[in-house]
Amino acid sequence: MTQGPDPTHGTDPLPDDFRAAMRLLAATVTIITAGEGPARRGLTATAVCSMSVTPPSMLVCVNRGGAAHRAISDAGSFCVNILADDQREVAQRFAGQTGDQGEDKFAPHGWTHLATGAPALDGALVNLDCQIAGATETGSHSIFIGEVRAIRFGTAPSPLLHFNRSFFTLAHTTAL
């Protein structure tokens, strides 16, 4: 168990231990997108969850230093694109692992606008198009609360999952 700063080295192991622990938290992979035209931006995220059914709301955590944060704030909306199991390349592209930046991340994929104008990824497991209802800053991130304005379901049978720096699918597993 990590207790805090190591008095012999003067460094705090807690941030590194936290990163290692969060790699062990299996999560559905999403792309959070916002903006239109050349101003559209997006990021790969697992810090996403449903917040309430009444009204239907989502919660997303976004680093304030990134261009996607600025796009979400400026647009006043965002789309949670829950990735299908065959969309690993999209996750890598929006995570910055392919070298693409800004609007270039959108280039090889089809996008549609639902209710708010935020880009909705064609072929995603589901798109949840949200209008910002609130935001809170904590640490390096903002927590955006979005009221869902539109939902589009895809036809893929399984989500893309992330666990311990690798991608997985539920397609060939048996429910317990």
Side-chain angles (χ1 to χ4, degrees):
M1 181 167 83
T2 301
Q3 298 289 324
D6 179 350
T8 61
H9 294 98
T11 60
D12 185 356
L14 196 56
D16 288 337
D17 287 351
F18 182 75
R19 282 185 200 92
M22 290 303 96
R23 284 193 293 269
L24 301 178
L25 179 64
T28 303
V29 182
T30 68
I31 302 296
I32 309 301
T33 53
E36 295 184 52
R40 63 186 177 168
R41 297 291 182 268
L43 72 146
T44 301
T46 55
V48 174
C49 67
S50 62
M51 191 176 128
S52 72
V53 173
T54 310
S57 302
M58 297 294 296
L59 181 145
V60 299
C61 302
V62 179
N63 189 312
R64 286 196 314 273
H69 184 280
R70 191 169 33 263
I72 293 167
S73 296
D74 290 350
S77 62
F78 58 88
C79 188
V80 177
N81 300 279
I82 299 175
L83 297 188
D85 60 5
D86 64 350
Q87 293 178 314
R88 181 178 132 179
E89 185 275 332
V90 183
Q92 292 170 320
R93 178 178 295 277
F94 279 84
Q97 297 175 357
T98 62
D100 294 299
Q101 304 243 342
E103 189 188 14
D104 293 342
K105 293 178 181 180
F106 293 82
H109 306 287
W111 300 89
T112 304
H113 297 286
L114 302 178
T116 70
L121 176 64
D122 296 338
L125 189 67
V126 67
N127 311 104
L128 297 133
D129 190 21
C130 303
Q131 191 74 41
I132 294 177
T136 298
E137 293 183 1
T138 183
S140 58
H141 285 60
S142 288
I143 301 167
F144 290 105
I145 298 168
E147 286 188 17
V148 178
R149 298 293 185 224
I151 299 172
R152 179 176 67 172
F153 293 93
T155 59
S158 180
L160 183 64
L161 303 176
H162 191 261
F163 174 75
N164 202 18
R165 298 183 174 179
S166 295
F167 293 103
F168 295 90
T169 178
L170 296 175
H172 305 290
T173 60
T174 303
L176 299 177

